[in-house]
Amino acid sequence: MKNIVITIARQYGSGGRTVGNMLAERLGIHYYDKELMKLAAEESGISERMFVKADENVKTLSPLARIAKNVYSGQLLSPDNRDFTSEENLFNYQAEIIKKLAQTESCVIVGRCADYILKDCDHSVRCFVHAPMDFLMEQAAKKQPMRGKELEKFIEQTDRHRAAYYEYHTGQTWYDARNYDLCLDSSRLGFEGTVEEIIAYAKVRFGQDCFGKTAE
């Protein structure tokens, strides 16, 4: 049986990270999120701080600056290239880690444009977890001190940053359902129900025993 990689893009407050963790624990597989930057740093020899900084730089680009996208091409630059530590090359190293993980193990990957990077991978399940604003605010309030309009603005800004990062590196729209196999409303399903839906989809697509006894 092939490895199955589940990628999760998510709105802030939708519980996508929680779903990812629950899913990985349920299936007995690894969960990857920001750890990918550490793995990319180890692979490239570039400081992990530079990967973090590159993420922040892309997120804060003006709409005009984002027109000049750096769509992922897969090419890795050598250390002697002057653009070795460019935002594009740093992203490419993260993408290389994601592709290697997909080849070697079943896992859950949250964010990092993993759905796009694995769009041609026939054993990936690409998910987008979303919810209405009232639910997003309810969940976000459990972690953030803000309330009311301030919290709503924070959620919208965070999602704009995620959308900007995605568009900059993929040339596609983050919210476009055509980029995903599943778009799930966690407010209707609950986190456990969202996990169940992803597992159910995988079983229909890859066979009832695709996860072995761990998903029973």
Side-chain angles (χ1 to χ4, degrees):
M1 184 186 72
K2 289 183 177 179
N3 301 318
I4 297 175
V5 180
I6 300 166
T7 71
I8 299 178
R10 76 285 183 216
Q11 285 187 284
Y12 187 86
S14 67
R17 182 177 280 115
T18 299
V19 168
N21 271 303
M22 291 172 62
L23 189 58
E25 184 175 352
R26 169 80 176 276
L27 299 176
I29 59 180
H30 283 114
Y31 166 93
Y32 295 99
D33 187 353
K34 292 183 179 180
E35 184 184 358
L36 291 169
M37 287 190 281
K38 179 180 179 180
L39 294 174
E42 293 172 353
E43 176 81 8
S44 64
I46 300 171
S47 168
E48 186 178 349
R49 291 193 301 273
M50 295 196 71
F51 285 90
V52 175
K53 183 179 179 181
D55 271 14
E56 294 304 315
N57 287 344
V58 171
K59 290 175 181 178
T60 56
L61 284 175
S62 68
L64 183 60
R66 289 200 298 268
I67 293 174
K69 302 177 181 67
N70 277 315
V71 177
Y72 171 65
S73 64
Q75 180 182 2
L76 291 174
L77 302 178
S78 61
D80 59 348
N81 191 296
R82 67 178 183 179
D83 292 325
F84 180 62
T85 58
S86 66
E87 289 163 3
E88 181 179 8
N89 201 45
L90 293 173
F91 178 85
N92 288 357
Y93 264 105
Q94 291 183 75
E96 190 68 14
I97 293 296
I98 289 171
K99 290 191 293 186
K100 285 183 178 180
L101 289 173
Q103 293 170 359
T104 57
E105 63 175 282
S106 292
C107 58
V108 176
I109 302 175
V110 173
R112 325 312 305 172
C113 303
D115 58 275
Y116 181 83
I117 294 163
L118 298 179
K119 60 185 173 64
D120 297 321
C121 174
D122 62 2
H123 53 97
S124 68
V125 178
R126 302 174 300 159
C127 308
F128 186 85
V129 181
H130 61 95
M133 180 55 74
D134 59 345
F135 183 85
L136 300 179
M137 291 181 67
E138 178 186 341
Q139 296 301 312
K142 296 177 181 179
K143 295 183 177 181
Q144 299 296 334
M146 299 165 281
R147 295 294 183 270
K149 289 295 183 181
E150 185 183 12
L151 181 58
E152 183 175 355
K153 182 178 179 180
F154 174 80
I155 292 169
E156 290 173 345
Q157 184 179 52
T158 301
D159 282 350
R160 279 197 300 271
H161 287 168
R162 289 177 177 177
Y165 180 90
Y166 189 88
E167 183 178 356
Y168 185 76
H169 286 299
T170 71
Q172 297 187 358
T173 303
W174 185 56
Y175 287 107
D176 191 338
R178 292 172 295 183
N179 296 327
Y180 309 99
D181 300 306
L182 292 173
C183 292
L184 301 166
D185 185 339
S186 56
S187 72
R188 293 181 180 273
L189 295 169
F191 298 155
E192 186 64 44
T194 303
V195 169
E196 293 295 339
E197 283 296 316
I198 295 171
I199 292 174
Y201 171 88
K203 286 184 174 183
V204 169
R205 182 170 162 189
F206 302 115
Q208 288 295 314
D209 62 346
C210 62
F211 294 118
K213 294 183 178 181
T214 57
E216 292 180 359

